[in-house]
Amino acid sequence: MTINTQARQYNGEAPPGALAALPPTGTAGDPFEPLSVGAMVDRVAAMAVEKATHPWAFLVRSLVGGAMVAFGALLALMVSTGVKTPGVASLLMGLAFGMSFVLILVSGMSLITADMAAGFLAVLNRTMSVGGYAFLVIAGLIGNVAGALVFVTVCGAAGGPYLGAFAERAAAVGAQKAGQPFWTALLLAVVCTWFLQTSMCMFFKARSDVARMTFAFYGPFAFVIGGTQHVIANVGFLGLPLLLNLFHPAAPHAGIGWGLGAHGLLTNLSITAVGNLVGGTLFVALPFWVIAQLQRSLS
């Protein structure tokens, strides 16, 4: 992971001495003591700046990150196929999906919802311009969606174990997510990144590998169990039934479409992207940044 690099101004050079190396990862007394909120904020912001300064590498990281999320969606649907009790099905989906975010954070790949929060912290810290943040969000979203679509296209073309009962389960989950009213989908997307990006911040606040992996696992585990909406996960949940039906016309797609109409994939992604942005910035990044500033003003 690129969490120990120096933070640099994006779209312009930082004034001399304005940005130092990232805060030390611990204290001399206890190497497992969690970082302070301020140190965590600086660390997460620096990660976003580092990504923005290497745009082509960032795009590749986003492609891989999108595929990892789609893989989590595939596993979640697989383990819940045939499970009739809703709570148990949701629990199994969360357990299967949870490792996707661990893979992303530990491997240093990129997930747009995490970058929404991290980049906003960099903007608040004045280490990234608004234009740099817009690039981070747009390029990350495109890369994640493309990577997830490539993965589900391969699975859809493969068929095999992804037909029959699995295809019916995928169609049912996709239809449920695509069929929610505007405000329901939007608010559930806000809740999703409230869960997910809090866990990301805790990942960067923690010092031990076990604690980091636990926090990284908790975020997607919680948002899947809670039935919330995640823009990249929904590429998997809605894209799989669409592509299974495309390659295997007998597979159900439950009325889901590709476009901007009712039950459309693009409609759902547009709504959830906005909700995820609001949740990650206003409900996670901003409170942590305010806490960091208040603590520093008293020290």
Side-chain angles (χ1 to χ4, degrees):
M1 298 235 13
T2 53
I3 56 178
N4 291 318
T5 56
Q6 288 189 325
R8 291 184 292 164
Q9 183 92 14
Y10 182 62
N11 282 352
E13 295 183 357
L19 296 173
L22 283 173
T25 58
T27 60
D30 185 356
F32 296 104
E33 181 71 20
L35 296 176
S36 67
V37 173
M40 178 272 291
V41 164
D42 290 344
R43 191 179 221 183
V44 173
M47 175 192 68
V49 173
E50 187 275 335
K51 288 181 178 181
T53 55
H54 300 89
W56 289 110
F58 173 60
L59 181 61
V60 175
R61 291 160 79 171
S62 298
L63 288 166
V64 177
M68 288 177 172
V69 172
F71 184 44
L74 176 78
L75 294 181
L77 291 171
M78 183 62 78
V79 299
S80 61
T81 296
V83 180
K84 303 301 182 183
T85 305
V88 175
S90 296
L91 175 62
L92 292 173
M93 290 181 73
L95 289 170
F97 197 100
M99 283 303 293
S100 61
F101 201 36
V102 177
L103 291 174
I104 290 170
L105 288 178
V106 173
S107 66
M109 298 300 108
S110 288
L111 179 60
I112 181 57
T113 47
D115 294 331
M116 287 172 175
F120 192 63
L121 284 173
V123 172
L124 292 173
N125 270 0
R126 299 183 180 180
T127 57
M128 179 182 288
S129 68
V130 174
Y133 180 59
F135 161 78
L136 195 75
V137 171
I138 294 170
L141 182 61
I142 292 172
N144 276 172
V145 170
L149 276 176
V150 168
F151 182 87
V152 294
T153 299
V154 172
C155 295
Y162 309 133
L163 298 175
F166 174 90
E168 294 176 2
R169 172 64 177 165
V173 172
Q176 186 272 331
K177 288 184 174 293
Q180 290 178 338
F182 173 85
W183 284 109
T184 299
L186 181 72
L187 293 175
L188 287 178
V190 171
V191 172
C192 173
T193 39
W194 201 340
F195 280 141
L196 189 60
Q197 298 337 309
T198 298
S199 76
M200 177 198 70
C201 289
M202 293 302 96
F203 175 91
F204 283 99
K205 195 175 190 299
R207 296 283 308 287
S208 72
D209 290 339
V210 172
R212 287 178 177 175
M213 294 182 69
T214 300
F215 285 129
F217 179 87
Y218 170 76
F221 171 76
F223 89 66
V224 170
I225 287 183
T228 64
Q229 298 262 15
H230 186 277
V231 60
I232 306 305
N234 283 5
V235 176
F237 287 127
L238 276 67
L240 269 171
L242 284 169
L243 286 159
L244 284 170
N245 178 259
L246 178 66
F247 289 106
H248 312 277
H253 62 82
I256 306 170
W258 288 99
L260 290 169
H263 296 248
L265 175 66
L266 288 179
T267 300
N268 179 269
L269 297 187
S270 299
I271 295 170
T272 52
V274 173
N276 289 161
L277 179 65
V278 172
T281 55
L282 299 186
F283 290 90
V284 179
L286 183 60
F288 275 119
W289 183 82
V290 169
I291 291 168
Q293 300 310 303
L294 292 173
Q295 289 178 337
R296 286 166 176 164
S297 67
L298 297 175
S299 61

